[in-house]
Every structure is written in C-alpha cells, then in structure tokens.
Amino acid sequence: MKWRNLALLPLFAVIVLVQVLCSATDSIYYLTQLTMSAYYSLLIIGLCVLMGYAGQISMGHAGFFAIGGYLSAALTTRSLVAFQDHTLVRLLHAAGCLSAGQDIYGEPMLVVTPWAACVIAVLTAAVVALLLGIPVLKLKGHYLAMATLGFGIIIYRIVLASSYFGEADGISGVPGFTLLPGLSVNGEFSSRVENYYIAWGVLLLGMLLLRNLINSRAGRALRAIHGSIEAADAVGVDTARFKVYTFVLSAVFAALAGVLLTHYNGGIGPSEAGIMKSVRYVAIVAVGGMANLWGALIMGVVLNFLSLRGLFGSYDDAVFGLILILIMLFAPGGILTLRLGGLWERLRPKAKSGKEGAS
Amino acid sequence: MALLRLMQLGKRFGGLQAVNDVGFSLRQGVIKAVIGPNGAGKTTLFNLISGALAPTSGEIRFQGKTIQGLKPYRIAALGIARTFQNIKMFAGMTALENVMVGRHVQSGAGFVASMLRTPRSRREEVAIREKALELLDFLGIADCADIEATSLSFGQQRAVELARALALEPKLLLLDEPAAGLNIYETAEVGRLIARIRDLGVTILLVEHDMSLVMDISEEIVVLSFGEKIAEGLPAEIQNNPEVIKVYLGE
C-alpha cells in the first residue's frame, strides 16, 4: 500500500522514452501536441474525479478552463497604466504583483506578473465553482447537466462579447510564465523539450494528488456519494459539502490547465470556452471508463493528441460526438474494458469457482 | 434517562398521515422492536429518527437533546447509525472500503490532507483500515474484504451494511428489517448477531416482519397500525393483546 504510487513510474519511463525517441528521430514537433495534450488531460483527470468517482456531471468545464486561461491572458497583457492611481492597482503594485515595461510602440505598460495572474485566475475559478456549485449540485442527473451547460454558455458568451477578452479574436501575445528561475512555460521553439517535461510533470503531480485522494477518507466519502447518497448521509458524510468541494477541486484543475496552456500557446481564443469543448471532455472521461483515472489520463492524451495532429480534420467535433455515441452503446465501462473484455471473461469464472470451492 | 424519546411525533405526506402522534422511549442497552402491518409507518418512523425526513409535528430527543429537523449526517455524528430495508451498498467499492466509509465521523482528514497524504492522515488511514477489518471479522465476513460489495450474496451484503453501521461506533442502531430476504437459518444467525451487538453496549431499535425473530430477541415491542401506536409492552404482553391480534389476523 505504501508503494502504491510506484505505479506512476512506468508512465514516467514512457514520458522520457517518447521524448528521447522524438529527439532522436528528428520529430520533435510531436512534443508540442503532447505538451498541449498533457494540459488538457489535467482538466480531464479532475473532471474524472467529479464525474466518475463523485458521480456529478459537469457540461461546463470548458468554462473553468476559460476562466483560468482568459484571466491569466488578460491580466498579463492588458496594461493597467490608465488605472495606476486606483487603490487596488496600488495594492497589487506594493505587493510586487505588477511588472512595468513597454509595449511594441514604446508606450509604458503595467501588467500583472504571470504568477500573480495565475493565482488570481485559479482563485476566481474556485470561487465561481463554489458559488455555482452550492445551488446547482442540489440537482441530479439531467438537471445538473443542464445547469452546468448553462454556466458554460454564459462564460462562452462573456468572452465572445467582451472587448477586454478580445471578443472573437481572443487574446494573443501572452508572455511566458516563469515558474522557477530557468523554468518557463512558453511556446518558444528552443524550450520545447523543457515545456514537454513541465507539462507532464504537472500532469503527473496532479495524477499523484488525485490518486491519493481517491484512496483516502475524503475520496471514499465522495465515491460513497456516487454509490448511495442516503447511505453516505447515514454514516455521517456531509454529502452537500463533499460534492461542492469536489466540484471546486475539478474547477481548480481545469483553471490551472487553462492558465498553463494559455502561456504555452501564447494566447487563447473563444473556442476554448465553447460548449463542444465541454462535451469533448465529458466524452473523454466516458471513453476512459468514468471511475478510472488511468483511463481518463490515457484517453485524454491519446484523443487530444490525435485531434491536435489534425487526424479528424474538419470533422473534429463530429468525431468526438460519434465516439460518445459508440462508447455509450458498446463500451459503457470505457474503452479499456472493451479490449480487456475477453481476458476478463476467461479469468473471472475461474476465480469465482475457486472461491466457492473453498467455502 | 431514556436514550431516545419520541413525543407526539407526526409526519404527513399531503393527505396521508403516515405517522400520527407516536410517542415512546428507549432505554439504554435494550433491544426494542417496532412491528405492524405493511404501511403502518415503520420505515417512515425510522426516516424521521435518522433525519432522512423531517417530522411535521412532535419532538425527538436523543440523550436529552432535540434532534428532529437536523440533517442526517449530523444525526449520524451524534451516534445514530442505521441500515436500510433494501440494502444500500456503495457500488464500485469493496466490502472493506464500504466499512471504511463508516469510519467517516471517527476520522478527520480533509481533501488537502488526503491529497498530500500527510503523516497524520496516513496514521489515521491505518487505524481506519484496522477497525474496518476488525468489524468484518466480527461479522464473519473477513474473507470478503476485497470483493466488490455489490457482487456479494444478499446475506453478506447485509453483514457489510451492519459492519458499516457499527463502524460509526453508534450509541443507537436502527435496523430496518434485518432479516428480510433471509432463510430461517440466516435469520437465526442475524438474531444472535443482534444480541451480540447489544452486548457491546449498543441500544437497538428494529423494524421487523419476522415474528419469530422479534419475539426471540426484543425486550420491548411497539405496535404501529396506520401510523398510530396501538400497543407497547413486553413480547408476552403483545402476543396476548387483543388489539394487536385483531390488526394482524382480522376480526
């Protein structure tokens, strides 16, 4: 039990192997899509805990991704020079959260530093998730799906309508995010390998935290909510509170993914906030097998990678819709169970008859 | 002092008075049964005590404190555990994990401590697991620990549910038809088990249809009919009560 997290080691080996192979075969461009896939997968494993383990659907997670991405993009690019006498801006300045510079025309610029922007963006997503979650998580099934869908639509229309968020153009020219001295999230060609490892490092860390959660007191409580809300209540689980906490946690994962991917891409556009993105994330969690973090991670990386490589062409969203239909029809337990299906059937009766023989 | 005291308790669902002016009390350390024909309001009464439903009138006192209207998880935290008439397992979790959830109130690791696996949460985790294994052992299903709970037999699931309720270390245990669906041997076994649980110092209130079990193990009996209490007393008294006989057998 102590070494449970050693299961992450083979994944680490694969990550290194892929990088070495890509570098050796001069196909380092694959690392770009793998980096982006890792960030999307960060959102997806968070959503997996909410949907698969706690049993609460969200059709609006692209909204939290967009809150993270858009806020960090806007805060690090929109100059606050015009507001520099405002108390809030002064406070930020005094706290060292602002950096001064010049724009391309030589005009003075005053923007929020990436670290401060990241904290503000993720906290905002958490607060929004809390305020949204308290009322809507009282709903179940279709009703919860519709309420979260409504939230997703609101965020999409806000970023599309607001000039602060760049309307249909989105925000570009987002600077790099220096996590630690010498370790920067940016889209520069020279730091492609570095960024690949940053993204996968963050994803592995996220995976580690969520795996710990699932096999702990809090994780068992939220899985119990999925199993039977009355029985969870009856053993003293504050089901409403645990549902909201899980919702906030998954929103934080989504927002962080949005922040990091936006710095990596150097910008963000309204399609990241779109409903089809939320549907895609739900589809990937379903393909991965719902209550299966590994399935969510693997499918998150594979399907996003294929999509980003343009394999599905203009039919991208159609393919994800089709995947959702096929999975619901033929492999409601996720695609990993489909492949192992035959093997399971052969192993299962043996194990069972062995038990009966013993008793 | 009575551990549990119901006073003029009532619950109305629209035009139906499911529980009407019911009052009785439960002394510490006894096994008390609530019996009555189908639709008498027995399960509703349990849902009122456990907080799953709020009463429309009356009062419930547990250890002298008023508890009606509290959320179920708060009532559980006070030390009232329950089982369900139609077993409610946590699907997708093993028998052991099901019982471990029962330790929720007795432990405290939150989201952050759980994710970071702090030393304190690890120690707590070990204690939770030990206690849960101990309870599975007490109920004779230790070898089912790692099997998914919903794939166990009916009788084993009842035992897991009982272990989960006991994991709470309740002062009062509400058992909703613990012998439903069991054969006579299993029913006798459940009866012995309930007596053993009482011997641990847990007060038990049970709803049951199986008269042999009720007469066998309970020290006191309350009879409900159409939501009203029609009799209360010792098993021998209840068996000879003309009102009760009329309700059960007709005139």
Side-chain angles (χ1 to χ4, degrees), chain A residues 105-188:
Chain A
Y105 308 108
E107 296 289 322
M109 287 255 291
L110 189 63
V111 295
V112 180
T113 61
W115 259 115
C118 173
V119 171
I120 293 171
V122 172
L123 279 181
T124 305
V127 170
V128 171
L130 187 70
L131 295 179
L132 176 71
I134 290 170
V136 306
L137 287 169
K138 293 193 174 115
L139 304 172
K140 288 185 184 122
H142 311 353
Y143 302 100
L144 178 60
M146 282 193 268
T148 50
L149 184 68
F151 161 74
I153 292 171
I154 291 169
I155 298 295
Y156 178 60
R157 297 315 303 193
I158 286 176
V159 299
L160 207 54
S162 143
S163 59
Y164 181 68
F165 293 123
E167 295 168 353
D169 295 330
I171 299 172
S172 55
V174 177
F177 180 2
T178 307
L179 295 169
L180 297 166
L183 206 60
S184 170
V185 177
N186 61 53
E188 275 165 42

Side-chain angles (χ1 to χ4, degrees), chain A residues 4 212 216-217 220 223, chain B residues 104 107 109 114-115 117 125:
Chain A
R4 184 167 42 207
N212 281 346
S216 69
R217 173 181 180 265
R220 277 191 302 271
R223 287 155 70 198
Chain B
H104 189 83
S107 48
S114 292
M115 281 195 282
R117 211 159 273 277
E125 188 73 9

Side-chain angles (χ1 to χ4, degrees), chain A residues 1-327:
Chain A
M1 187 183 83
K2 201 172 176 185
W3 301 106
R4 184 167 42 207
N5 285 320
L6 281 183
L8 292 173
L9 271 184
L11 176 61
F12 185 71
V14 170
I15 292 166
V16 175
L17 188 70
V18 167
Q19 184 268 315
V20 170
L21 278 178
C22 284
S23 295
T25 57
D26 225 11
S27 47
I28 198 166
Y29 44 86
Y30 283 131
L31 295 186
T32 301
Q33 288 87 37
L34 284 172
T35 304
M36 294 168 74
S37 303
Y39 288 135
Y40 283 124
S41 299
L42 186 65
L43 176 150
I44 288 162
I45 58 174
L47 184 61
C48 173
V49 169
L50 178 71
M51 279 178 58
Y53 291 94
Q56 311 299 313
I57 194 170
S58 168
M59 296 291 281
H61 254 51
F64 293 116
F65 182 94
I67 289 177
Y70 264 100
L71 272 183
S72 63
L75 290 171
T76 54
T77 54
R78 302 284 191 243
S79 181
L80 294 170
V81 168
F83 310 98
Q84 56 187 335
D85 294 329
H86 198 281
T87 327
L88 192 66
V89 175
R90 276 193 186 159
L91 275 175
L92 282 173
H93 207 47
C97 295
L98 300 183
S99 75
Q102 290 183 334
D103 68 8
I104 48 171
Y105 308 108
E107 296 289 322
M109 287 255 291
L110 189 63
V111 295
V112 180
T113 61
W115 259 115
C118 173
V119 171
I120 293 171
V122 172
L123 279 181
T124 305
V127 170
V128 171
L130 187 70
L131 295 179
L132 176 71
I134 290 170
V136 306
L137 287 169
K138 293 193 174 115
L139 304 172
K140 288 185 184 122
H142 311 353
Y143 302 100
L144 178 60
M146 282 193 268
T148 50
L149 184 68
F151 161 74
I153 292 171
I154 291 169
I155 298 295
Y156 178 60
R157 297 315 303 193
I158 286 176
V159 299
L160 207 54
S162 143
S163 59
Y164 181 68
F165 293 123
E167 295 168 353
D169 295 330
I171 299 172
S172 55
V174 177
F177 180 2
T178 307
L179 295 169
L180 297 166
L183 206 60
S184 170
V185 177
N186 61 53
E188 275 165 42
F189 197 78
S190 56
S191 54
R192 213 175 233 178
V193 172
E194 175 189 320
N195 265 280
Y196 169 80
Y197 279 110
I198 293 174
W200 280 89
V202 171
L203 180 59
L204 267 182
L205 188 66
M207 189 72 175
L208 184 79
L209 294 177
L210 293 184
R211 279 166 54 83
N212 281 346
L213 176 69
I214 291 310
N215 294 302
S216 69
R217 173 181 180 265
R220 277 191 302 271
L222 62 93
R223 287 155 70 198
I225 293 171
H226 193 184
S228 163
I229 199 152
E230 295 99 333
D233 264 329
V235 290
V237 176
D238 185 349
T239 50
R241 180 182 292 253
F242 271 76
K243 281 199 275 188
V244 171
Y245 281 175
T246 313
F247 193 63
V248 171
L249 178 71
S250 70
V252 164
F253 269 62
L256 188 64
V259 169
L260 294 173
L261 188 58
T262 298
H263 283 288
Y264 181 67
N265 287 339
I268 186 169
S271 71
E272 290 297 348
I275 297 311
M276 275 316 297
K277 282 281 182 174
S278 293
V279 172
R280 167 181 302 203
Y281 301 141
V282 169
I284 292 173
V285 172
V287 175
M290 294 302 246
N292 186 340
L293 272 175
W294 279 111
L297 183 127
I298 294 168
M299 287 303 137
V301 171
V302 170
L303 290 176
N304 275 304
F305 178 74
L306 295 178
S307 165
L308 290 165
R309 288 297 303 168
L311 190 78
F312 310 137
S314 312
Y315 297 104
D316 209 32
D317 286 338
V319 168
F320 277 94
L322 186 66
I323 286 173
L324 195 52
I325 294 173
L326 292 178
I327 282 294

Side-chain angles (χ1 to χ4, degrees), chain B residues 180-197:
Chain B
L182 302 183
N183 64 35
I184 51 167
Y185 305 106
E186 290 167 329
T187 301
E189 180 59 35
V190 163
R192 280 192 290 275
L193 205 56
I194 293 172
R196 275 174 72 199
I197 292 170

Side-chain angles (χ1 to χ4, degrees), chain B residues 17-44:
Chain B
Q17 188 76 40
V19 171
N20 189 11
D21 207 18
V22 170
F24 62 84
S25 60
L26 190 57
R27 280 177 297 119
Q28 178 104 36
V30 302
I31 300 176
K32 189 161 191 156
V34 179
I35 63 169
N38 284 329
K42 306 183 295 292
T43 295
T44 303

Side-chain angles (χ1 to χ4, degrees), chain B residues 214-226:
Chain B
V214 169
M215 296 303 165
D216 212 25
I217 63 168
S218 37
E219 289 145 86
E220 293 166 16
I221 296 175
V222 171
V223 188
L224 295 186
S225 176
F226 293 108

